[in-house]
């Protein structure tokens, strides 16, 4: 080999090494760009989740406030009236489904509910010896003053602490039904 060819070979080797380093640097830059885009998408999704969470919390708070206001109105009067029911339900059909009653007008619904409320109050004021809460039994029974099938449920002690009577259990379950049905309809 002559003296001129040696430096040219070294120059070519350095040029190839430089090209390889540039190629690696380009790939690293592309990977960094991909990671930045992925991180941006993840942060965007997290922001959307936080926004949805806040909206859901606000909806639940609104439902609870509405229920508390309605319960306050009903408990103050101890009777139902057309205005209260119209505030709670969009249509007579919704109210009929909620209470599982067959009626043809708001007035007849109010009459049936108030009649049932006065009978329920009398029954609930009687001492109840069947409040044994150790077993998880469920049985169906017919109430003589109504043709509506009732369900007797024995609560576990920890649940019974939170729900002192059947009215509290029913209101809790109705609230849960409204929240889940509202969320189900919002997702469709």
């Amino acid at each position: 080999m002559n003296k001129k060819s040696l430096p040219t070979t070294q120059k070519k080797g350095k040029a190839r090494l430089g090209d390889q380093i540039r190629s690696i640097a380009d790939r690293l830059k592309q990977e960094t760009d991909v990671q930045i885009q992925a991180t941006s998408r993840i942060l965007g999704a997290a922001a959307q989740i936080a926004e949805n969470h806040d909206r859901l919390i606000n909806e639940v708070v609104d439902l609870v406030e509405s229920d508390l206001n309605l319960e306050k109105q009903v408990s103050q009067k101890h009777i139902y009236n057309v205005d209260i029911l119209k505030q709670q339900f969009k249509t007579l059909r919704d109210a009929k489904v909620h209470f599982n009653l067959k009626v043809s007008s708001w007035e007849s619904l109010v009459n049936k509910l108030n009649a049932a409320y006065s009978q329920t109050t009398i029954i609930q004021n009687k001492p109840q010896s069947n409040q044994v809460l150790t077993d998880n039994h469920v049985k169906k029974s017919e109430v003589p003053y109504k043709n509506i099938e009732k369900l007797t449920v024995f609560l576990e002690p920890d649940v019974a602490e939170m729900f002192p009577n059947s009215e509290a259990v029913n209101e809790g379950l109705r609230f849960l039904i409204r929240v889940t049905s509202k969320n189900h309809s919002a997702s469709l």
Side-chain angles (χ1 to χ4, degrees), residues 147-164:
N147 290 330
I148 299 172
E149 192 173 85
K150 298 282 183 177
L151 182 67
T152 302
V153 177
F154 293 96
L155 303 174
E156 294 292 327
D158 60 323
V159 176
E161 287 178 19
M162 300 304 294
F163 298 98

Side-chain angles (χ1 to χ4, degrees), residues 8-69:
T8 307
T9 306
Q10 286 179 344
K11 287 181 184 178
K12 288 182 182 179
K14 286 183 180 179
R16 271 192 261 151
L17 184 59
D19 289 341
Q20 289 175 344
I21 291 172
R22 277 189 285 282
S23 174
I24 291 170
D26 287 343
R27 283 189 298 204
L28 287 174
K29 185 180 182 308
Q30 289 172 350
E31 288 178 15
T32 301
D33 290 345
V34 168
Q35 289 176 350
I36 289 171
Q37 288 175 350
T39 302
S40 175
R41 288 183 186 146
I42 290 169
L43 291 174
Q48 185 66 42
I49 289 170
E51 183 180 316
N52 290 343
H53 179 265
D54 289 345
R55 190 179 75 240
L56 179 61
I57 293 296
N58 289 337
E59 288 176 8
V60 169
V61 167
D62 290 345
L63 284 171
V64 169
E65 286 176 347
S66 172
D67 286 352
L68 290 174
N69 289 337

Side-chain angles (χ1 to χ4, degrees), residues 86-132:
K86 284 183 177 180
Q87 286 176 1
Q88 186 177 4
F89 303 99
K90 292 180 181 177
T91 64
L92 177 61
R93 183 173 183 259
D94 291 342
K96 291 179 354 183
V97 168
H98 176 78
F99 291 109
N100 196 23
L101 293 173
K102 294 181 181 180
V103 294
S104 58
S105 68
W106 286 103
E107 290 76 17
S108 59
L109 177 63
V110 166
N111 292 337
K112 280 191 176 187
L113 290 173
N114 289 336
Y117 179 78
S118 63
Q119 290 175 356
T120 303
T121 303
I122 293 167
I123 290 171
Q124 285 183 350
N125 290 337
K126 292 181 183 177
Q128 296 182 359
S129 61
N130 64 343
Q131 290 185 345
V132 179

Side-chain angles (χ1 to χ4, degrees), residues 72-89:
K72 183 179 176 183
Q73 289 174 353
V74 171
S75 66
Q76 286 174 346
K77 297 177 183 179
H78 296 291
I79 57 171
Y80 290 96
N81 67 40
V82 173
D83 293 333
I84 289 173
L85 291 176
K86 284 183 177 180
Q87 286 176 1
Q88 186 177 4
F89 303 99

